[in-house]
Amino acid sequence: MEEEAEVLGQQVSRITPQNQLMVKETYAEYETLLSPFEKEVSVLLFQGLRPDQIADRLGYDVTKIQNALLRCKQKLSRQLYEHR
């Protein structure tokens, strides 16, 4: 466990201010691609909720949440690959 934490710490320390800025800009652009529902689901996921918890909180079927998360993932992937 300590070794994993050390490796993670080394990886984080290699993040440059330029990379941080690029990630922030890419994420901001990604957010503009999301529908209001997808954004709400995405925010809850980043807060640590599982799809079933998101479904319970929002009052939707878990399949609808999973579909929204799939669309979010696809949009994020496209956004990241366009910035290469």
Side-chain angles (χ1 to χ4, degrees):
M1 187 78 162
E2 290 179 29
E3 290 175 18
E4 291 173 2
E6 184 177 333
V7 169
L8 181 59
Q10 291 171 355
Q11 291 172 343
V12 169
S13 68
R14 286 186 270 183
I15 297 174
T16 66
Q18 183 181 4
N19 287 343
Q20 286 178 323
L21 180 60
M22 187 173 65
V23 168
K24 285 181 182 181
E25 289 174 354
T26 301
Y27 187 80
E29 291 172 20
Y30 156 73
E31 281 189 313
T32 67
L33 301 173
L34 300 178
S35 71
F37 178 68
E38 291 167 345
K39 187 172 182 178
E40 185 175 24
V41 170
S42 180
V43 166
L44 292 173
L45 181 72
F46 283 121
Q47 289 176 356
L49 274 66
R50 296 184 318 264
D52 61 314
Q53 294 171 319
I54 297 170
D56 288 343
R57 180 172 291 187
L58 299 180
Y60 291 106
D61 185 75
V62 72
T63 302
K64 182 172 178 130
I65 302 302
Q66 290 170 332
N67 288 336
L69 290 172
L70 178 62
R71 291 190 305 273
C72 291
K73 182 179 177 181
Q74 290 169 339
K75 290 176 181 183
L76 182 58
S77 292
R78 282 193 302 261
Q79 189 66 24
L80 290 173
Y81 289 116
E82 286 177 4
H83 278 85
R84 282 188 155 189

